[in-house]
Short mmCIF file of all heavy atoms in Angstrom, two decimals:
data_model
loop_
_atom_site.label_atom_id
_atom_site.label_comp_id
_atom_site.label_asym_id
_atom_site.label_seq_id
_atom_site.Cartn_x
_atom_site.Cartn_y
_atom_site.Cartn_z
N GLU F 71 -43.39 -12.76 -28.98
CA GLU F 71 -44.36 -12.38 -27.94
C GLU F 71 -45.51 -13.38 -27.91
O GLU F 71 -46.06 -13.63 -26.82
CB GLU F 71 -44.90 -10.98 -28.22
CG GLU F 71 -43.87 -9.92 -27.97
CD GLU F 71 -44.40 -8.49 -28.27
OE1 GLU F 71 -45.49 -8.38 -28.84
OE2 GLU F 71 -43.68 -7.54 -27.97
N GLU F 72 -45.91 -13.96 -29.05
CA GLU F 72 -47.01 -14.87 -29.11
C GLU F 72 -46.62 -16.28 -28.61
O GLU F 72 -47.50 -17.03 -28.17
CB GLU F 72 -47.55 -14.99 -30.53
CG GLU F 72 -48.26 -13.75 -31.01
CD GLU F 72 -48.63 -13.79 -32.48
OE1 GLU F 72 -48.28 -14.82 -33.15
OE2 GLU F 72 -49.27 -12.84 -32.93
N ASN F 73 -45.37 -16.65 -28.70
CA ASN F 73 -44.95 -18.03 -28.44
C ASN F 73 -44.04 -18.26 -27.28
O ASN F 73 -43.95 -19.39 -26.80
CB ASN F 73 -44.29 -18.62 -29.75
CG ASN F 73 -45.28 -18.82 -30.85
OD1 ASN F 73 -45.99 -19.79 -30.82
ND2 ASN F 73 -45.28 -17.89 -31.80
N LEU F 74 -43.31 -17.26 -26.85
CA LEU F 74 -42.32 -17.48 -25.78
C LEU F 74 -42.64 -16.73 -24.51
O LEU F 74 -43.35 -15.72 -24.52
CB LEU F 74 -40.93 -17.09 -26.34
CG LEU F 74 -40.46 -17.80 -27.60
CD1 LEU F 74 -39.08 -17.28 -28.03
CD2 LEU F 74 -40.47 -19.29 -27.42
N ILE F 75 -42.07 -17.23 -23.43
CA ILE F 75 -42.30 -16.61 -22.09
C ILE F 75 -41.01 -16.11 -21.49
O ILE F 75 -39.94 -16.53 -21.88
CB ILE F 75 -42.95 -17.59 -21.14
CG1 ILE F 75 -42.04 -18.83 -20.96
CG2 ILE F 75 -44.37 -18.01 -21.59
CD1 ILE F 75 -42.31 -19.65 -19.72
N VAL F 76 -41.14 -15.23 -20.53
CA VAL F 76 -39.98 -14.82 -19.72
C VAL F 76 -39.66 -16.04 -18.89
O VAL F 76 -40.46 -16.60 -18.17
CB VAL F 76 -40.39 -13.61 -18.83
CG1 VAL F 76 -39.21 -13.24 -17.88
CG2 VAL F 76 -40.79 -12.43 -19.65
N PRO F 77 -38.37 -16.51 -18.96
CA PRO F 77 -38.00 -17.73 -18.30
C PRO F 77 -37.89 -17.70 -16.78
O PRO F 77 -38.06 -18.70 -16.11
CB PRO F 77 -36.65 -18.09 -18.96
CG PRO F 77 -36.08 -16.82 -19.40
CD PRO F 77 -37.27 -15.97 -19.75
N ASP F 78 -37.50 -16.56 -16.22
CA ASP F 78 -37.36 -16.46 -14.74
C ASP F 78 -37.48 -15.02 -14.29
O ASP F 78 -37.70 -14.14 -15.09
CB ASP F 78 -36.01 -17.10 -14.27
CG ASP F 78 -34.80 -16.43 -14.93
OD1 ASP F 78 -34.98 -15.25 -15.46
OD2 ASP F 78 -33.74 -16.99 -14.94
N GLY F 79 -37.37 -14.84 -12.98
CA GLY F 79 -37.50 -13.48 -12.43
C GLY F 79 -38.92 -13.15 -12.04
O GLY F 79 -39.79 -13.96 -12.08
N PRO F 80 -39.12 -11.87 -11.65
CA PRO F 80 -40.45 -11.47 -11.18
C PRO F 80 -41.57 -11.54 -12.18
O PRO F 80 -42.73 -11.65 -11.84
CB PRO F 80 -40.24 -10.00 -10.71
CG PRO F 80 -38.84 -9.62 -11.13
CD PRO F 80 -38.10 -10.84 -11.59
N THR F 81 -41.19 -11.56 -13.49
CA THR F 81 -42.24 -11.64 -14.54
C THR F 81 -42.23 -12.98 -15.19
O THR F 81 -42.75 -13.12 -16.33
CB THR F 81 -42.11 -10.53 -15.58
OG1 THR F 81 -40.77 -10.64 -16.16
CG2 THR F 81 -42.25 -9.12 -14.94
N ALA F 82 -41.66 -14.02 -14.58
CA ALA F 82 -41.56 -15.33 -15.16
C ALA F 82 -42.97 -15.83 -15.57
O ALA F 82 -43.92 -15.68 -14.85
CB ALA F 82 -40.97 -16.33 -14.15
N GLY F 83 -43.00 -16.37 -16.78
CA GLY F 83 -44.27 -16.85 -17.30
C GLY F 83 -45.04 -15.88 -18.17
O GLY F 83 -45.92 -16.26 -18.90
N ASP F 84 -44.66 -14.61 -18.07
CA ASP F 84 -45.31 -13.56 -18.88
C ASP F 84 -44.78 -13.72 -20.34
O ASP F 84 -43.71 -14.28 -20.57
CB ASP F 84 -44.98 -12.18 -18.40
CG ASP F 84 -45.73 -11.82 -17.13
OD1 ASP F 84 -46.59 -12.61 -16.70
OD2 ASP F 84 -45.47 -10.73 -16.56
N PRO F 85 -45.53 -13.19 -21.32
CA PRO F 85 -45.00 -13.22 -22.71
C PRO F 85 -43.64 -12.50 -22.78
O PRO F 85 -43.44 -11.47 -22.10
CB PRO F 85 -46.07 -12.47 -23.49
CG PRO F 85 -47.34 -12.62 -22.71
CD PRO F 85 -46.88 -12.64 -21.25
N LEU F 86 -42.74 -13.07 -23.54
CA LEU F 86 -41.43 -12.46 -23.72
C LEU F 86 -41.56 -11.22 -24.60
O LEU F 86 -41.79 -11.29 -25.81
CB LEU F 86 -40.45 -13.45 -24.36
CG LEU F 86 -39.02 -12.96 -24.54
CD1 LEU F 86 -38.35 -12.74 -23.18
CD2 LEU F 86 -38.21 -13.95 -25.33
N THR F 87 -41.42 -10.07 -23.99
CA THR F 87 -41.42 -8.80 -24.73
C THR F 87 -40.09 -8.14 -24.59
O THR F 87 -39.41 -8.28 -23.51
CB THR F 87 -42.50 -7.87 -24.20
OG1 THR F 87 -42.34 -7.65 -22.81
CG2 THR F 87 -43.91 -8.43 -24.44
N PHE F 88 -39.66 -7.43 -25.58
CA PHE F 88 -38.34 -6.81 -25.56
C PHE F 88 -38.44 -5.35 -25.18
O PHE F 88 -39.44 -4.67 -25.46
CB PHE F 88 -37.68 -6.91 -26.96
CG PHE F 88 -37.45 -8.34 -27.40
CD1 PHE F 88 -37.77 -8.74 -28.66
CD2 PHE F 88 -36.91 -9.28 -26.57
CE1 PHE F 88 -37.58 -10.03 -29.09
CE2 PHE F 88 -36.71 -10.58 -26.96
CZ PHE F 88 -37.00 -10.94 -28.27
N THR F 89 -37.35 -4.85 -24.57
CA THR F 89 -37.27 -3.42 -24.32
C THR F 89 -37.04 -2.73 -25.66
O THR F 89 -36.80 -3.39 -26.67
CB THR F 89 -36.07 -3.09 -23.43
OG1 THR F 89 -34.86 -3.43 -24.09
CG2 THR F 89 -36.15 -3.85 -22.06
N GLU F 90 -37.10 -1.40 -25.67
CA GLU F 90 -36.89 -0.70 -26.93
C GLU F 90 -35.47 -0.98 -27.51
O GLU F 90 -35.38 -1.20 -28.70
CB GLU F 90 -37.05 0.82 -26.68
CG GLU F 90 -37.03 1.63 -27.97
CD GLU F 90 -37.29 3.08 -27.75
OE1 GLU F 90 -38.00 3.43 -26.79
OE2 GLU F 90 -36.80 3.92 -28.56
N GLU F 91 -34.50 -1.00 -26.65
CA GLU F 91 -33.13 -1.26 -27.10
C GLU F 91 -32.99 -2.71 -27.67
O GLU F 91 -32.36 -2.94 -28.66
CB GLU F 91 -32.12 -1.00 -26.02
CG GLU F 91 -30.71 -1.09 -26.53
CD GLU F 91 -29.65 -0.78 -25.44
OE1 GLU F 91 -29.98 -0.80 -24.24
OE2 GLU F 91 -28.50 -0.56 -25.82
N GLN F 92 -33.61 -3.64 -26.98
CA GLN F 92 -33.55 -5.02 -27.44
C GLN F 92 -34.28 -5.18 -28.78
O GLN F 92 -33.80 -5.84 -29.68
CB GLN F 92 -34.20 -5.95 -26.39
CG GLN F 92 -33.37 -6.12 -25.14
CD GLN F 92 -34.13 -6.82 -23.99
OE1 GLN F 92 -35.34 -6.81 -23.98
NE2 GLN F 92 -33.40 -7.44 -23.10
N ALA F 93 -35.42 -4.53 -28.91
CA ALA F 93 -36.17 -4.53 -30.16
C ALA F 93 -35.34 -3.94 -31.28
O ALA F 93 -35.35 -4.45 -32.42
CB ALA F 93 -37.52 -3.85 -30.01
N GLN F 94 -34.63 -2.85 -30.97
CA GLN F 94 -33.80 -2.22 -32.03
C GLN F 94 -32.71 -3.19 -32.55
O GLN F 94 -32.43 -3.25 -33.72
CB GLN F 94 -33.12 -0.95 -31.50
CG GLN F 94 -34.06 0.27 -31.49
CD GLN F 94 -34.56 0.62 -32.85
OE1 GLN F 94 -35.73 0.80 -33.04
NE2 GLN F 94 -33.71 0.76 -33.80
N PHE F 95 -32.18 -3.96 -31.59
CA PHE F 95 -31.18 -5.00 -31.96
C PHE F 95 -31.80 -6.01 -32.91
O PHE F 95 -31.22 -6.35 -33.94
CB PHE F 95 -30.61 -5.68 -30.72
CG PHE F 95 -29.61 -6.75 -31.05
CD1 PHE F 95 -28.31 -6.44 -31.33
CD2 PHE F 95 -30.03 -8.08 -31.04
CE1 PHE F 95 -27.36 -7.44 -31.67
CE2 PHE F 95 -29.11 -9.11 -31.36
CZ PHE F 95 -27.80 -8.79 -31.66
N VAL F 96 -33.00 -6.48 -32.57
CA VAL F 96 -33.71 -7.50 -33.40
C VAL F 96 -34.03 -6.93 -34.75
O VAL F 96 -33.84 -7.58 -35.78
CB VAL F 96 -34.96 -8.02 -32.67
CG1 VAL F 96 -35.74 -8.94 -33.58
CG2 VAL F 96 -34.53 -8.72 -31.40
N LEU F 97 -34.50 -5.71 -34.79
CA LEU F 97 -34.85 -5.09 -36.07
C LEU F 97 -33.60 -4.94 -36.99
O LEU F 97 -33.66 -5.19 -38.17
CB LEU F 97 -35.49 -3.70 -35.88
CG LEU F 97 -36.88 -3.73 -35.14
CD1 LEU F 97 -37.32 -2.27 -34.86
CD2 LEU F 97 -37.92 -4.47 -35.97
N GLY F 98 -32.50 -4.54 -36.35
CA GLY F 98 -31.25 -4.44 -37.13
C GLY F 98 -30.74 -5.79 -37.58
O GLY F 98 -30.25 -5.94 -38.71
N LEU F 99 -30.80 -6.79 -36.72
CA LEU F 99 -30.31 -8.13 -37.00
C LEU F 99 -31.04 -8.71 -38.22
O LEU F 99 -30.44 -9.42 -39.07
CB LEU F 99 -30.45 -9.04 -35.79
CG LEU F 99 -29.98 -10.47 -35.96
CD1 LEU F 99 -28.48 -10.54 -36.21
CD2 LEU F 99 -30.34 -11.27 -34.77
N TYR F 100 -32.32 -8.44 -38.33
CA TYR F 100 -33.14 -9.05 -39.39
C TYR F 100 -33.40 -8.08 -40.59
O TYR F 100 -34.37 -8.27 -41.33
CB TYR F 100 -34.44 -9.57 -38.82
CG TYR F 100 -34.22 -10.80 -38.01
CD1 TYR F 100 -34.11 -10.76 -36.65
CD2 TYR F 100 -34.07 -12.03 -38.67
CE1 TYR F 100 -33.87 -11.92 -35.91
CE2 TYR F 100 -33.86 -13.21 -37.93
CZ TYR F 100 -33.77 -13.12 -36.55
OH TYR F 100 -33.50 -14.27 -35.84
N GLU F 101 -32.54 -7.10 -40.72
CA GLU F 101 -32.64 -6.17 -41.89
C GLU F 101 -32.47 -6.97 -43.18
O GLU F 101 -31.67 -7.92 -43.27
CB GLU F 101 -31.57 -5.07 -41.80
CG GLU F 101 -31.63 -4.08 -42.89
CD GLU F 101 -30.55 -3.05 -42.76
OE1 GLU F 101 -29.79 -3.01 -41.81
OE2 GLU F 101 -30.46 -2.19 -43.70
N VAL F 102 -33.25 -6.62 -44.19
CA VAL F 102 -33.20 -7.32 -45.46
C VAL F 102 -32.88 -6.38 -46.63
O VAL F 102 -33.07 -5.16 -46.53
CB VAL F 102 -34.54 -8.08 -45.78
CG1 VAL F 102 -34.74 -9.22 -44.73
CG2 VAL F 102 -35.71 -7.14 -45.78
N ASP F 103 -32.42 -6.98 -47.70
CA ASP F 103 -32.02 -6.22 -48.90
C ASP F 103 -33.29 -5.76 -49.58
O ASP F 103 -34.18 -6.52 -50.03
CB ASP F 103 -31.26 -7.18 -49.84
CG ASP F 103 -30.80 -6.53 -51.13
OD1 ASP F 103 -31.17 -5.37 -51.37
OD2 ASP F 103 -30.14 -7.24 -51.94
N PRO F 104 -33.48 -4.45 -49.73
CA PRO F 104 -34.71 -3.91 -50.37
C PRO F 104 -34.81 -4.29 -51.85
O PRO F 104 -35.87 -4.20 -52.47
CB PRO F 104 -34.60 -2.41 -50.19
CG PRO F 104 -33.17 -2.12 -49.96
CD PRO F 104 -32.59 -3.35 -49.33
N TYR F 105 -33.66 -4.75 -52.45
CA TYR F 105 -33.70 -5.13 -53.87
C TYR F 105 -33.77 -6.62 -54.05
O TYR F 105 -33.66 -7.10 -55.17
CB TYR F 105 -32.45 -4.57 -54.55
CG TYR F 105 -32.37 -3.04 -54.41
CD1 TYR F 105 -31.49 -2.47 -53.59
CD2 TYR F 105 -33.23 -2.20 -55.14
CE1 TYR F 105 -31.40 -1.08 -53.40
CE2 TYR F 105 -33.16 -0.83 -55.00
CZ TYR F 105 -32.23 -0.29 -54.15
OH TYR F 105 -32.19 1.06 -54.02
N PHE F 106 -34.00 -7.36 -52.99
CA PHE F 106 -34.10 -8.81 -53.10
C PHE F 106 -35.30 -9.17 -54.00
O PHE F 106 -36.36 -8.61 -53.91
CB PHE F 106 -34.32 -9.39 -51.71
CG PHE F 106 -34.61 -10.89 -51.69
CD1 PHE F 106 -33.61 -11.80 -51.71
CD2 PHE F 106 -35.94 -11.34 -51.62
CE1 PHE F 106 -33.85 -13.14 -51.69
CE2 PHE F 106 -36.18 -12.71 -51.61
CZ PHE F 106 -35.13 -13.61 -51.63
N VAL F 107 -35.06 -10.14 -54.87
CA VAL F 107 -36.13 -10.68 -55.72
C VAL F 107 -36.30 -12.16 -55.26
O VAL F 107 -35.38 -12.96 -55.37
CB VAL F 107 -35.69 -10.61 -57.19
CG1 VAL F 107 -36.82 -11.22 -58.01
CG2 VAL F 107 -35.46 -9.18 -57.58
N GLY F 108 -37.46 -12.45 -54.76
CA GLY F 108 -37.75 -13.83 -54.27
C GLY F 108 -37.96 -14.83 -55.39
O GLY F 108 -37.92 -14.43 -56.56
N PRO F 109 -38.18 -16.03 -55.06
CA PRO F 109 -38.28 -16.62 -53.71
C PRO F 109 -36.87 -16.93 -53.16
O PRO F 109 -35.87 -16.85 -53.84
CB PRO F 109 -39.08 -17.89 -53.92
CG PRO F 109 -38.67 -18.32 -55.32
CD PRO F 109 -38.51 -17.03 -56.11
N ALA F 110 -36.87 -17.38 -51.90
CA ALA F 110 -35.61 -17.69 -51.26
C ALA F 110 -34.97 -19.02 -51.77
O ALA F 110 -33.73 -19.12 -51.78
CB ALA F 110 -35.81 -17.84 -49.74
#
């Protein structure tokens, strides 16, 4: 949201924000192991 824009359409140029379903996909895609011990 801070760095990218909507590339085309009626809201072209606005910050790229996701719908609830899109955000759910992103949250699931970036799920992490709760037992991970860093660093990477």
